């Protein structure tokens, strides 16, 4: 499956952005999906995940209550709604897809497919 992330940009502290990740070349509903981010000089870290069928979600503690992951299987797209953005959310955001049993995954190694990344910059 190929993944194409979009929706990044420059936003002020406290603002909102919605990222999208469009999938092609596979049966989207079979994949558990996730969002990761990588800030300059840091490791890529887990942000959010959603399971393939029942839509169970998981978040890193730093974004709970501010970010929402969702998916539209009819549109082959996963979303990340980001509210109350902070400068520390600045990073390149990547979407990823994982085969297998339907549950949320937090580890990079569990994802087989990755999008190209979209840059989110939050100014203070």
């Amino acid at each position: 499956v190929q993944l194409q992330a979009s929706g990044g940009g420059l936003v002020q502290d406290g603002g909102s952005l919605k990222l999208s990740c469009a999938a092609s070349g596979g049966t989207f509903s079979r994949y558990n999906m996730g969002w990761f981010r990588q800030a300059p000089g840091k490791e890529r870290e887990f942000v959010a995940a959603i399971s393939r069928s029942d839509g169970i979600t998981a978040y890193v503690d730093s974004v709970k209550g501010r970010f929402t992951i969702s998916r539209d299987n009819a549109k082959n797209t996963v979303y990340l709604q980001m509210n109350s953005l902070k400068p520390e959310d600045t990073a390149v955001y990547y979407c990823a897809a994982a085969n297998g049993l339907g549950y949320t995954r937090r580890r990079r190694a569990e994802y087989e497919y990755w999008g190209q990344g979209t840059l989110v910059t939050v100014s203070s």
Side-chain angles (χ1 to χ4, degrees), residues 21-32:
C21 175
S24 61
T27 303
F28 180 70
S29 60
R30 293 182 179 177
Y31 294 96
N32 301 284

Side-chain angles (χ1 to χ4, degrees), residues 8-61:
L10 175 64
V11 63
Q12 290 189 332
D13 190 354
S16 297
L17 279 176
K18 186 174 185 177
L19 306 183
S20 299
C21 175
S24 61
T27 303
F28 180 70
S29 60
R30 293 182 179 177
Y31 294 96
N32 301 284
M33 301 299 296
W35 285 97
F36 289 72
R37 65 186 179 187
Q38 188 167 16
K42 294 189 176 181
E43 298 265 331
R44 191 174 301 188
E45 66 169 353
F46 168 77
V47 176
I50 187 166
S51 63
R52 63 178 185 175
S53 55
D54 48 15
I56 292 174
T57 59
Y59 300 91
V60 67
D61 285 348

Side-chain angles (χ1 to χ4, degrees), residues 41-103:
K42 294 189 176 181
E43 298 265 331
R44 191 174 301 188
E45 66 169 353
F46 168 77
V47 176
I50 187 166
S51 63
R52 63 178 185 175
S53 55
D54 48 15
I56 292 174
T57 59
Y59 300 91
V60 67
D61 285 348
S62 60
V63 308
K64 282 181 180 177
R66 300 189 298 123
F67 291 12
T68 302
I69 187 171
S70 61
R71 65 190 296 159
D72 185 336
N73 287 344
K75 294 183 178 180
N76 294 342
T77 302
V78 62
Y79 304 98
L80 186 67
Q81 176 67 49
M82 306 185 294
N83 299 328
S84 302
L85 282 161
K86 306 175 182 180
E88 51 263 43
D89 294 318
T90 294
V92 177
Y93 283 71
Y94 298 89
C95 58
N99 274 306
L101 296 176
Y103 65 91

